[in-house]
Amino acid sequence: VRETPKSKASPQPERPTVKLTHPDRIYWPEEGVTKQGLADYYTEVWKYIAPFVVARPLALLRGPEGITGQTFFQKHAWKGLNTNIALVTDPKDKDDEPLISINDLDGLIGLVQSAVLEIHPWGSTITDWERPDMIIMDLDPGENVPWEQVIAGALETRERLEQAGLAAFIKTSGGKGLHVVAPVKPKATWPEVKAFTKALADSMASDSPDSYVSTITKSKRTGKILIDYLRNQRGMTAVAPYSTRARPGAAVSMPLEWDELTPGIGPAYFTVLNTATRLAAIKRDPWADFRAAAAPIEKPKTKKRG
Ligand code: ATP
Ligand code: MN
Ligand code: MN
């Protein structure tokens, strides 16, 4: 039996089926962004954010009263979790409480229903917990660092990643800095990946000690950028591309083209309010090639015998 032919009309964007309670609750008071507004935002960006939030353990910043109320950072499942959210068990920590994961748009809107204001995924997926498929260099400017210097730091990070055979992508953090993210083939393990990112950060700090530091304990950070590589450890997380931030301004972490990285676009330039306009205006997703660009991290070369 043949199905009746589908209509030739262009397919409608996917719609969530999750029912929100208190849709009018204000989450970002100054911008007037409500819980419904947050759900509409995530529905709009779903196809872009999906590869970065589906099938990964997620840490979540929740705030039932919005950004001005109490917020809490949760790495584990809680009671009364929305039924669209999946529980996953860390294979290395089977006795611990389950972790949180989502599979689809309803899962993402289930997070909104659970008052999630920031989404922080692992750098590995639940199909290969021990081998990250991306690395993130978190550029944290200290006091008095001009934005041009942060841009220069991102470009230098990109160059060093490319020298190592990796592709580099850039996003605003939605906070104070930039994130340089490289897709990797899930081959190297967490300790190997951490060592690789530490070596990269250390070499930037030792080559340009006036511009960069690679350890948080360095007291004199004024005028310097911390090349924070410590996101790249098992169980650590970083804010997802397109995630909202629980900070004034309703900023989001926005993927950019490298040539968009100009002084006019600051770290919190893109927000829940202007993202739809941006996505309608750009011709292609700046991170469209992210997964296809993944390369393996090469192990440090052992000394050649002479
Ligand atoms: P910025 O550009 O302002 O540095 P960011 O996203 O890089 O923004 P933070 O929001 O300060 O930096 O977060 C740093 C990391 O620490 C996040 O990636 C997150 O995984 C983790 N984190 C954030 N909030 C908490 C928290 N309340 N408790 C524990 N870890 C947190
Ligand atoms: Mn940061
Ligand atoms: Mn940091």
Side-chain angles (χ1 to χ4, degrees):
V1 185
R2 280 178 179 276
E3 281 177 40
T4 49
K6 296 246 161 61
S7 146
K8 285 209 180 93
S10 61
Q12 290 300 302
E14 206 177 331
R15 302 302 312 177
T17 66
V18 177
K19 175 108 179 71
L20 294 184
T21 56
H22 310 293
D24 297 330
R25 185 160 287 169
I26 305 273
Y27 279 176
W28 282 267
E30 282 175 43
E31 291 71 29
V33 177
T34 61
K35 188 175 185 180
Q36 183 67 55
L38 183 60
D40 293 345
Y41 167 80
Y42 276 122
T43 301
E44 180 88 28
V45 301
W46 164 244
K47 69 174 175 180
Y48 302 101
I49 196 177
F52 302 99
V53 294
V54 165
R56 296 172 188 277
L58 303 175
L60 305 166
L61 188 70
R62 296 174 67 210
E65 306 301 328
I67 66 159
T68 55
Q70 213 172 38
T71 57
F72 27 94
F73 195 73
Q74 289 194 247
K75 294 190 162 194
H76 293 102
W78 59 89
K79 284 204 188 93
L81 201 64
N82 185 276
T83 51
N84 293 287
I85 298 171
L87 303 186
V88 290
T89 301
D90 181 344
K92 281 211 169 156
D93 206 351
K94 287 190 172 131
D95 298 333
D96 208 358
E97 302 157 72
L99 302 179
I100 300 151
S101 182
I102 61 170
N103 300 315
D104 50 25
L105 175 59
D106 276 342
L108 183 59
I109 305 306
L111 297 181
V112 174
Q113 167 55 19
S114 303
V116 170
L117 305 179
E118 298 192 1
I119 306 170
H120 295 249
W122 283 36
S124 63
T125 68
I126 58 172
T127 54
D128 205 345
W129 291 67
E130 308 310 326
R131 296 164 202 277
D133 67 353
M134 64 179 78
I135 61 179
I136 174 163
M137 305 305 287
D138 167 23
L139 273 56
D140 287 334
E143 301 283 307
N144 300 323
V145 175
W147 187 241
E148 286 82 350
Q149 198 179 314
V150 187
I151 293 177
L155 292 170
E156 182 170 345
T157 307
R158 174 197 196 186
E159 196 163 305
R160 287 174 185 258
L161 287 165
E162 287 180 349
Q163 276 164 12
L166 300 177
F169 292 78
I170 184 77
K171 66 183 178 78
T172 62
S173 72
K176 298 195 175 109
L178 289 169
H179 294 162
V180 182
V181 188
V184 300
K185 288 252 165 74
K187 294 207 161 125
T189 61
W190 278 113
E192 291 166 341
V193 166
K194 180 184 178 185
F196 172 85
T197 57
K198 180 182 193 307
L200 194 148
D202 285 347
S203 64
M204 285 178 71
S206 62
D207 290 352
S208 309
D210 295 338
S211 301
Y212 309 119
V213 292
S214 60
T215 49
I216 296 164
T217 48
K218 276 270 162 65
S219 52
K220 285 216 169 90
R221 270 190 55 195
T222 302
K224 297 178 190 177
I225 301 167
L226 170 66
I227 311 297
D228 182 2
Y229 63 89
L230 291 172
R231 312 282 98 231
N232 304 291
Q233 304 181 80
R234 194 182 195 280
M236 297 296 276
T237 58
V239 76
Y242 297 101
S243 172
T244 53
R245 304 307 307 258
R247 306 180 191 193
V252 303
S253 179
M254 180 59 75
L256 302 175
E257 300 281 359
W258 279 102
D259 65 9
E260 288 183 296
L261 197 57
T262 52
I265 291 183
Y269 182 89
F270 288 105
T271 70
V272 172
L273 300 182
N274 65 17
T275 291
T277 309
R278 165 178 174 73
L279 295 178
I282 56 177
K283 288 180 201 75
R284 63 191 289 276
D285 172 9
W287 286 28
D289 298 333
F290 188 86
R291 187 45 47 203
I297 289 176
E298 301 298 344
K299 296 228 168 81
K301 294 211 168 58
T302 46
K303 276 196 200 123
K304 270 184 197 147
R305 276 171 283 171

